[in-house]
């Protein structure tokens, strides 16, 4: 397994796992490698040091070295992706019935629960006018997250 540091044209940094460098190039060429933040397929490989598992060659375990703090932009991206993962895990996907189901919950017709789905801009405005809070999540974040 090959783990690569990648970046999109908007400078979002992320990791990609591939069977080999050839697999990465093939997927990149077919437009299958996309940024998990903005869905851009303009992705480039960043320089990274190879990681070799040679722990069996070392002597007794040494005192671990402190790791430097992560890049602030990377920390923000990781926090945002984690929040989206939690949102997806804690909500029910009601699909196209989002506006209808949100109203039913708001007016007490069904038990209150977290939902997610799709609504047009007009439906979202109408929900807001009725006092029903909605949060738009970009389509790129609704798919598989790394």
């Amino acid at each position: 397994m090959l783990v690569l540091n990648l970046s999109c044209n908007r400078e979002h940094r992320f990791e990609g796992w591939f069977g080999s460098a050839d697999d990465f190039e093939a997927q990149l060429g077919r437009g299958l490698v996309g940024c998990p933040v903005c869905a851009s397929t303009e992705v480039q490989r960043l320089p990274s040091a190879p990681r070799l598992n040679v722990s069996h060659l070392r002597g007794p375990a040494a005192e671990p070295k402190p790791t430097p703090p992560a890049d602030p932009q990377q920390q923000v991206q990781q926090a945002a992706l984690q929040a989206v993962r939690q949102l997806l895990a804690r909500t029910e996907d009601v699909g196209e019935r989002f506006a209808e189901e949100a109203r039913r919950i708001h007016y007490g017709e069904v038990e209150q629960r977290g939902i997610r789905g799709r609504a047009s801009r007009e439906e979202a405005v109408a929900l807001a006018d009725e006092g029903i809070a909605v949060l738009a999540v970009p389509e790129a974040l609704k798919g598989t997250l790394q």
Side-chain angles (χ1 to χ4, degrees):
M1 186 63 58
L2 179 65
V3 180
L4 299 177
N5 292 323
L6 305 172
S7 177
C8 74
N9 60 331
R10 294 184 179 165
E11 298 184 11
H12 299 129
R13 294 174 178 240
F14 57 99
E15 282 185 351
W17 292 43
F18 303 92
S20 67
D22 290 338
D23 286 345
F24 166 70
E25 293 298 331
Q27 290 180 37
L28 185 66
R30 294 191 328 247
L32 299 176
V33 180
C35 175
V37 177
C38 68
S40 171
T41 56
E42 293 183 40
V43 174
Q44 67 180 2
R45 183 175 173 178
L46 297 175
S48 60
R51 181 173 177 188
L52 304 173
N53 188 4
V54 293
S55 59
H56 65 283
L57 300 175
R58 288 189 226 149
E63 186 87 17
K65 296 179 183 177
T67 57
D71 175 23
Q73 180 182 2
Q74 204 169 24
Q75 287 177 333
V76 170
Q77 287 177 6
Q78 288 173 349
L81 287 174
Q82 183 62 30
V84 171
R85 284 186 190 106
Q86 288 178 1
L87 174 80
L88 294 175
R90 295 178 182 171
T91 56
E92 176 187 344
D93 186 0
V94 295
E96 300 295 330
R97 299 177 301 124
F98 179 80
E100 172 191 339
E101 203 62 26
R103 285 186 179 97
R104 291 178 65 206
I105 292 169
H106 181 74
Y107 294 114
E109 297 173 15
V110 295
E111 186 177 328
Q112 190 164 358
R113 67 191 192 283
I115 62 170
R116 59 186 154 84
R118 285 165 294 291
S120 67
R121 185 175 307 276
E122 293 80 19
E123 288 174 319
V125 169
L127 289 170
D129 288 345
E130 293 179 48
I132 302 171
V134 295
L135 171 68
V137 177
E139 266 316 302
L141 296 180
K142 294 179 184 174
T144 303
L145 300 176
Q146 296 182 358

